[in-house]
Amino acid sequence: MSAPKKENIWLNLGFNVVVPALLLSKGKAWLEWDAKLALAVALAFPVVYFFYDLAKRKKINWISILGFVGVLLTGGVGLFELDKKWIIVKETSIPLIIGVFVLGSVWMKKPLARLFLYNDSIFDLQKIDAALFAKNNTDLFNRLLKQGTLLIAFSFFVSAVLNCLLAVWIVQSPAGTDAFNEELGKMMAVSYPVIMVPCMIIMVAALMLLIKGLTRLTGLSLDECIKPQK
């Protein structure tokens, strides 16, 4: 069976961040759209991308589903002119839910570090598992995966806190107004560097922890652990 196609990161950023942020910030000035139309069109881009990516790669996961639900919730707050506090709740709750789920997986058979870090798109799992078994280190490696999972959960909790602070700081206007749209656009634009950088640092730390333990417990070099690319 062929591996799923890799996601186009630039298309992802364009549809989910750049275009929606521009339409929300400049829709009224450039196109003379009212606030609700600008919001609806801007949020249509992430929705279209969700279904486009699903049709192209035939791959979906619970994180992408939560992201899709988040877009719908943002649209609901703006279009139905709900209290702006619901944007803060939404921005905080989605990474918090993911973090709790990841944390809970520590006590399951397969900690979610297997999904985020230790997977067959990066590592030669058969070779690694055989080396761990030969050295009787499988249990020690499972403990290492749990440590990595804790770090990943921590990254989502950091994201939840930063999301909350950004939403409180930026979103000040009532939903359904041009000012609200502009603030949403600003929040989209700044959230990636502000939130993604610290979270990526934590994720890289988790990956380095995994690699260091992997080579120590298997006796393999990093090159031997990495899956050969066709």
Side-chain angles (χ1 to χ4, degrees):
M1 188 174 72
S2 60
K5 295 180 181 178
K6 290 184 178 180
E7 185 175 14
N8 186 320
I9 185 64
W10 300 112
L11 204 60
N12 183 322
L13 284 174
F15 272 74
N16 288 304
V17 181
V18 178
V19 174
L22 284 174
L23 287 174
L24 288 169
S25 302
K26 303 296 183 181
K28 180 177 176 62
W30 290 351
L31 303 168
E32 298 183 355
W33 288 347
D34 65 39
K36 289 187 177 181
L37 177 60
L39 179 64
V41 174
L43 295 182
F45 277 83
V47 171
V48 168
Y49 179 82
F50 175 84
F51 288 108
Y52 163 79
D53 188 60
L54 176 60
K56 185 175 182 181
R57 297 198 302 139
K58 305 292 190 297
K59 184 177 180 182
I60 192 169
N61 57 59
W62 52 274
I63 292 181
S64 62
I65 291 173
L66 279 175
F68 176 67
V69 170
V71 170
L72 297 183
L73 291 175
T74 299
V77 172
L79 296 176
F80 294 104
E81 300 182 16
L82 304 179
D83 194 292
K84 65 181 182 182
K85 70 182 180 184
W86 291 110
I87 287 291
I88 299 169
V89 170
K90 189 272 293 186
E91 291 295 319
T92 307
S93 61
I94 289 180
L96 186 61
I97 290 169
I98 298 173
V100 169
F101 192 79
V102 172
L103 182 62
S105 76
V106 169
W107 292 276
M108 298 177 186
K109 271 191 173 183
K110 291 187 177 181
L112 282 176
R114 288 184 178 274
L115 170 65
F116 290 99
L117 303 176
Y118 184 62
N119 57 70
D120 60 4
S121 65
I122 303 173
F123 294 104
D124 189 333
L125 302 189
Q126 288 186 334
K127 182 189 292 184
I128 292 169
D129 289 344
L132 289 169
F133 181 79
K135 290 182 174 290
N136 199 29
N137 282 334
T138 301
D139 288 341
L140 288 175
F141 182 65
N142 287 333
R143 280 188 224 165
L144 184 66
L145 284 176
K146 289 183 178 182
Q147 293 173 14
T149 301
L150 289 173
L151 278 174
I152 295 168
F154 177 64
S155 75
F156 283 110
F157 293 139
V158 169
S159 178
V161 172
L162 293 176
N163 270 0
C164 179
L165 293 175
L166 275 179
V168 170
W169 174 49
I170 294 175
V171 181
Q172 301 289 332
S173 303
T177 63
D178 293 317
F180 175 80
N181 282 4
E182 290 175 10
E183 290 160 2
L184 275 185
K186 180 180 178 181
M187 189 171 68
M188 282 184 175
V190 303
S191 65
Y192 260 65
V194 170
I195 293 168
M196 290 300 293
V197 170
C199 289
M200 284 303 298
I201 290 172
I202 298 170
M203 292 286 278
V204 168
L207 181 59
M208 295 306 294
L209 174 73
L210 176 67
I211 290 172
K212 185 177 179 181
L214 197 57
T215 54
R216 175 172 53 84
L217 294 173
T218 61
L220 301 172
S221 68
L222 177 57
D223 286 342
E224 290 173 315
C225 293
I226 297 297
K227 183 178 182 180
Q229 298 298 312
K230 294 183 180 180

